Amino acid sequence: MVSEGRLFILLASCMATAVLSCNSGKEQKYAATENATNLIFPKGKKTTNDNFTGTVYLHSLIEGDSINPNSVGNVTFEPGARSKWHFHPAGQILLATDGVGYYQEKGQSKIILRKGDVIKCPPNVPHWHGASADTSFVQIAITGRKKGPTVWLDEVSDDEYNK
């Protein structure tokens, strides 16, 4: 029997392998929102909550349940779009699948993300992520739900975003 922690790691590893093998050898010519044929998963629906600045689309791939409490979603950020500061009680893994994005933990420098990059967001560490100012960004977000829902904090200021 596989423990939930090992299942989470296995799922993340399988998703990363699938993402990288689906895209290997393809030349990226356009930003993700400009060329829908580059997308691995559907773009989804435009978010209507206030947890993001700018235009963001979400397509839920897996909802957490009692067997596996992890959710998996395909998230597309248009240029300049980003999440609020937030944290996940059970952590999160981000798999960059297209475009150029940013990730930043509170008190740390911003990291530039490109297709093929993987980020492990530690539990309870405030962070944000989104697209660069001039290029859209697509990510697969694998979010642990066993210890509770995402906790949303303040908006990322323009100063924080542009540093």
Side-chain angles (χ1 to χ4, degrees):
M1 177 154 199
V2 178
S3 71
E4 287 181 14
R6 291 181 63 91
L7 186 57
F8 184 79
I9 292 168
L10 179 61
L11 173 61
S13 176
C14 289
M15 289 294 295
T17 301
V19 167
L20 295 175
S21 66
C22 285
N23 281 313
S24 63
K26 289 185 182 177
E27 180 180 329
Q28 182 178 338
K29 296 181 181 178
Y30 305 102
T33 55
E34 295 173 4
N35 186 3
T37 60
N38 269 351
L39 299 178
I40 298 168
F41 299 106
K43 185 174 175 178
K45 295 182 181 181
K46 186 176 176 180
T47 59
T48 57
N49 60 49
D50 66 351
N51 296 326
F52 300 92
T53 298
T55 304
V56 178
Y57 299 86
L58 172 64
H59 177 72
S60 179
L61 300 170
I62 297 173
E63 293 293 332
D65 58 26
S66 62
I67 296 169
N68 186 331
N70 303 306
S71 65
V72 180
N74 186 62
V75 186
T76 302
F77 296 87
E78 288 192 355
R82 58 202 181 256
S83 70
K84 285 184 172 180
W85 286 101
H86 63 283
F87 64 87
H88 309 279
Q92 183 180 54
I93 294 173
L94 304 175
L95 308 170
T97 61
D98 205 8
V100 179
Y102 299 144
Y103 170 81
Q104 183 177 19
E105 293 177 2
K106 202 67 146 174
Q108 302 296 318
S109 298
K110 180 172 64 177
I111 298 170
I112 297 174
L113 302 174
R114 291 182 175 80
K115 182 167 59 173
D117 289 338
V118 178
I119 292 287
K120 185 176 185 180
C121 311
N124 299 313
V125 173
H127 65 276
W128 67 270
H129 35 99
S132 68
D134 58 0
T135 306
S136 60
F137 178 64
V138 183
Q139 68 181 25
I140 302 295
I142 304 168
T143 308
R145 300 287 186 205
K146 185 173 183 174
K147 296 180 181 179
T150 301
V151 177
W152 294 97
L153 305 168
D154 298 327
E155 287 186 15
V156 174
S157 71
D158 288 343
D159 286 343
E160 290 171 313
Y161 178 78
N162 291 315
K163 278 188 184 178

